[in-house]
């Protein structure tokens, strides 16, 4: 195994539930080739898996939350049956300032903000949440919204900020934006604690901002994701908010207003503010969308269908929503989800919604990205384990849903393994939606090491066909993407 090791300038460990085991930070940037493989890496798997996640570069002061860590990208490049691993911190403005100071400077999610400062102003944009490939580069993003950092897909070197237009400067772009491979467009939303509280925008395949539209909300909200179809975007307004009084004092305090509906805004991708249509549903809260598409029903009416994994609504003894239990689950990173569907009729304005699966507890849905915005048959979700401790969500396995037949296949190797969000990777020359692999990091707690597992997408239940042993721990993290070999070649990545 060849290893190019860049030593870290400090070695520290702070006892904390969110900094132990698979959550413990990594302090080195490395490049490793000719990695050991258990099984056989498929020769027709060519491309790059890259995942974002937190790994604090400096010892935090005060209480540490898993979401606070500095963004670190980890990639595995697959070429001709061989794998190369590398990782690098995203060099955000905040990380640069802390590196110069030699210590942590910003408060974390559990800390009180400076007097009079909104959390948006006082928290560091760690760029630790999601990563997308667009216009030849990787985009690294933060869940609270902020500047998007551009990263070279080959070296993982931070190139700068995505500020190709003056209107993007200072805009709090959310981590969960979408890339339409059919048009090459990057569709995003931005949100924050200042009026109008949300924006919708589109960046073209050439990197130029094509549209930016304000989306009026009644007040600050906590959206997390969005959806796109071929012609529309779907933006979220859930009844989960920060308590206004606490927010004014620089603190987070979640409230769920069960008397408010869930609202979805449907806007033509290149539309204007006056074209936004709102659809109301039962009060729920959701983090991640699987996909959305346009569908013509038996009456010839166009519906937008959106599939996602909202939190299950816990019920009290009286059958009503147990709001405190829901807030506790959300606030402590508990895992209790359902696969759910919403339908919005663009012709009549009617809505429908319902549970697709409330048996398997799954989240972090991924699809074959060629089907982004059009009707897909399969989703690949993380199987969530039962919580053992607070603030340590256990990603316990994988589930493949067949939306056409209603079937689900699950794989769970037993105690001691922690999975990551696992994107679909098409095999070379694939013609069918599920002709390929599911690729993701796995923390092997039994062997105390990180691995990359490659699983045949058509036979999830059999487990991995290959396990790549990594040279260092990959801390438990968030979102990922697969970049095909032809995309890397177009971006001139060697």
């Amino acid at each position: 195994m060849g290893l190019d090791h860049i030593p870290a300038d400090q070695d520290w460990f702070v006892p904390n539930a969110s900094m132990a085991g698979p959550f413990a930070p990594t302090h080195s940037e490395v490049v490793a080739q000719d990695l050991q493989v258990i099984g056989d890496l498929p020769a027709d798997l060519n491309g790059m898996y890259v995942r974002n996640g937190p790994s604090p570069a400096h010892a935090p002061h005060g209480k540490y939350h898993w979401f606070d860590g500095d963004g670190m990208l980890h990639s595995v490049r697959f070429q001709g049956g061989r794998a190369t691993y590398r990782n690098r911190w995203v060099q955000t403005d905040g990380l640069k300032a802390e590196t110069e100071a030699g210590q942590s400077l910003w408060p974390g999610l559990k800390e009180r903000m400076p007097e009079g400062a909104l959390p948006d102003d006082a928290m560091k944009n760690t760029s630790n949440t999601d990563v997308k490939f667009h216009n030849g580069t990787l985009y690294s993003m933060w869940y609270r919204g902020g500047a998007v950092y551009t990263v070279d897909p080959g070296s993982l070197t931070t190139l700068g900020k995505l500020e190709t237009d003056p209107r993007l400067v200072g805009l709090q772009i959310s981590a969960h934006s979408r890339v339409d491979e059919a048009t090459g467009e990057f569709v995003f939303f931005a949100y924050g604690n200042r009026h109008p509280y949300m924006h919708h925008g589109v960046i073209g395949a050439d990197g130029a901002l094509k549209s930016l539209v304000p989306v009026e909300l009644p007040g600050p909200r906590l959206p997390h994701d969005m959806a796109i179809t071929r012609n529309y975007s779907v933006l979220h307004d859930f009844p989960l908010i920060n308590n206004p009084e606490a927010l004014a004092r620089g603190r987070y305090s979640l409230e769920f207003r069960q008397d408010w509906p869930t609202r979805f805004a449907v806007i033509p991708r290149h539309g204007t503010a006056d074209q936004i249509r709102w659809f109301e549903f039962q009060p729920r809260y959701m983090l991640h969308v699987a996909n959305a598409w346009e569908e013509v029903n038996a009456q010839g009416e166009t519906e937008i269908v959106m599939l996602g994994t909202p939190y299950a609504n816990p019920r009290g003894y009286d059958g009503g929503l147990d709001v405190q239990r829901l807030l506790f689950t959300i606030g402590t990173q508990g895992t209790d989800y359902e696969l759910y569907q919403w339908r919005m009729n663009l012709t009549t304005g009617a809505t429908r919604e319902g549970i697709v699966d409330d048996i398997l507890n799954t989240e972090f849905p991924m699809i074959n990205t060629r089907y982004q915005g059009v009707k897909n048959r399969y989703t690949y979700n993380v199987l969530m384990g039962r919580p053992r401790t607070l603030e340590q969500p256990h990603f316990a396995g994988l589930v493949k849903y067949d939306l056409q037949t209603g079937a689900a296949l699950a794989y769970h190797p037993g105690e001691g393994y922690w999975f990551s969000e696992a994107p679909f990777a098409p095999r070379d020359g694939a013609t069918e939606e599920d002709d390929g692999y599911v690729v993701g990091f796995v923390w092997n707690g039994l062997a105390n090491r990180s691995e990359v597992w490659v699983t045949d997408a058509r036979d999830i239940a059999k487990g991995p066909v290959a396990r790549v042993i990594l040279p260092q721990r990959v801390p438990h993290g968030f979102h990922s993407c697969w970049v095909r070999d032809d995309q890397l070649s177009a971006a001139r990545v060697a």
Side-chain angles (χ1 to χ4, degrees):
M1 178 177 70
L3 182 66
D4 176 17
H5 183 263
I6 306 172
D9 57 4
Q10 49 208 327
D11 184 16
W12 50 263
F13 179 76
V14 178
N16 184 292
S18 296
M19 298 182 72
F23 294 85
T26 289
H27 296 143
S28 298
E29 296 177 333
V30 306
V31 178
Q33 300 174 323
D34 300 323
L35 301 172
Q36 177 188 350
V37 179
I38 300 173
D40 295 307
L41 275 178
D44 57 3
L45 175 66
N46 291 284
M48 182 177 71
Y49 165 59
V50 57
R51 200 216 67 196
N52 207 341
S55 190
H58 300 85
H61 58 76
K63 300 174 183 177
Y64 176 79
H65 191 284
W66 181 35
F67 295 176
D68 293 340
D70 294 292
M72 178 179 279
L73 295 176
H74 303 259
S75 74
V76 180
R77 177 77 183 272
F78 296 88
Q79 288 179 295
R82 301 174 65 187
T84 299
Y85 163 83
R86 77 175 66 230
N87 71 302
R88 297 194 79 165
W89 272 291
V90 182
Q91 291 295 323
T92 63
D93 289 348
L95 179 56
K96 289 178 181 178
E98 290 182 333
T99 300
E100 184 175 347
Q103 64 176 350
S104 177
L105 299 174
W106 274 267
L109 193 60
K110 293 183 177 181
E111 294 295 303
R112 186 183 182 91
M113 305 300 154
E115 192 66 32
L118 291 170
D120 290 346
D121 302 323
M123 293 180 67
K124 176 177 60 172
N125 175 357
T126 57
S127 196
N128 68 6
T129 309
D130 205 352
V131 57
K132 292 286 195 292
F133 181 81
H134 179 252
N135 191 28
T137 62
L138 295 172
Y139 291 174
S140 177
M141 295 165 283
W142 185 43
Y143 76 100
R144 284 296 305 164
V148 173
Y149 285 86
T150 59
V151 176
D152 179 83
S155 65
L156 299 188
T157 300
T158 304
L159 302 174
K161 296 179 184 177
L162 182 67
E163 295 180 345
T164 56
D165 187 285
R167 291 171 290 174
L168 295 176
V169 178
L171 198 66
Q172 292 176 243
I173 297 176
S174 168
H176 291 297
S177 303
R178 301 279 165 173
V179 177
D180 186 339
E181 292 188 11
T183 65
E185 292 172 318
F186 178 76
V187 187
F188 66 89
F189 75 101
Y191 74 105
N193 289 314
R194 293 183 175 87
H195 185 269
Y197 308 113
M198 186 180 283
H199 287 81
H200 171 262
V202 180
I203 293 176
D206 59 356
L209 183 64
K210 298 176 72 172
S211 67
L212 183 66
V213 176
V215 180
E216 292 275 350
L217 297 179
R221 295 293 188 264
L222 292 171
H224 194 80
D225 203 348
M226 67 172 296
I228 63 170
T229 69
R230 275 289 176 256
N231 298 294
Y232 299 93
S233 293
V234 184
L235 308 175
H236 302 165
D237 178 14
F238 294 110
L240 182 77
I241 64 170
N242 285 316
N243 175 280
E245 291 76 21
L247 189 65
R249 296 195 300 270
R251 291 175 48 247
Y252 282 115
S253 181
L254 295 180
E255 287 187 358
F256 188 84
R257 301 290 180 85
Q258 60 179 316
D259 55 333
W260 293 1
T262 283
R263 303 193 313 150
F264 296 138
V266 174
I267 179 174
R269 183 176 298 185
H270 303 289
T272 55
D274 60 346
Q275 293 179 293
I276 296 173
R277 295 181 63 184
W278 289 96
F279 295 83
E280 295 189 354
F281 296 89
Q282 296 175 16
R284 302 187 74 95
Y285 186 66
M286 177 176 65
L287 295 175
H288 303 122
V289 170
N291 197 18
W293 59 87
E294 298 157 37
E295 187 172 300
V296 178
N297 64 21
Q299 290 73 41
E301 301 160 347
T302 299
E303 292 184 314
I304 288 181
V305 184
M306 184 169 66
L307 187 74
T309 51
Y311 284 92
N313 277 350
R315 300 294 172 182
Y317 289 112
D318 62 355
L321 177 63
D322 188 337
V323 173
Q324 291 308 310
R325 185 175 159 198
L326 176 62
L327 288 172
F328 180 81
T329 300
I330 296 172
T332 60
Q333 300 165 58
T335 56
D336 188 8
Y337 306 102
E338 298 170 336
L339 188 63
Y340 204 83
Q341 185 183 96
W342 295 266
R343 288 178 172 265
M344 292 154 272
N345 191 310
L346 299 182
T347 305
T348 68
T351 61
R352 289 187 289 157
E353 61 185 299
I355 294 169
V356 177
D357 176 32
D358 61 354
I359 303 300
L360 295 175
N361 182 11
T362 72
E363 238 282 26
F364 287 80
M366 301 292 280
I367 66 170
N368 182 332
T369 53
R370 290 188 183 274
Y371 290 78
Q372 182 78 253
V374 299
K375 188 173 184 178
N376 63 301
R377 178 172 177 176
Y378 305 104
T379 75
Y380 308 90
N381 296 20
V382 173
L383 179 66
M384 308 305 292
R386 298 182 184 276
R388 304 301 186 197
T389 59
L390 298 180
E391 299 185 0
Q392 283 190 305
H394 185 195
F395 296 11
L398 298 173
V399 174
K400 177 186 180 180
Y401 284 106
D402 185 332
L403 303 176
Q404 179 175 303
T405 66
L409 288 175
Y411 175 72
H412 171 46
E415 292 292 329
Y417 295 91
W418 298 65
F419 286 68
S420 286
E421 179 183 76
F424 174 82
R427 73 174 77 242
D428 295 347
T431 57
E432 302 295 328
E433 182 182 341
D434 65 342
D435 188 11
Y437 306 92
V438 176
V439 182
F441 291 122
V442 174
W443 167 253
N444 182 343
L446 305 182
N448 196 35
R449 69 189 182 204
S450 290
E451 304 172 2
V452 174
W453 287 17
V454 178
T455 304
D456 189 332
R458 290 183 163 174
D459 204 352
I460 287 283
K462 274 193 175 180
V465 299
R467 295 163 54 186
V468 181
I469 310 304
L470 297 179
Q472 66 176 358
R473 179 179 55 257
V474 175
H476 204 34
F478 305 127
H479 297 285
S480 61
C481 68
W482 176 262
V483 187
R484 299 189 313 273
D485 197 53
D486 62 293
Q487 294 173 310
L488 294 172
S489 296
R492 299 181 180 179
V493 176

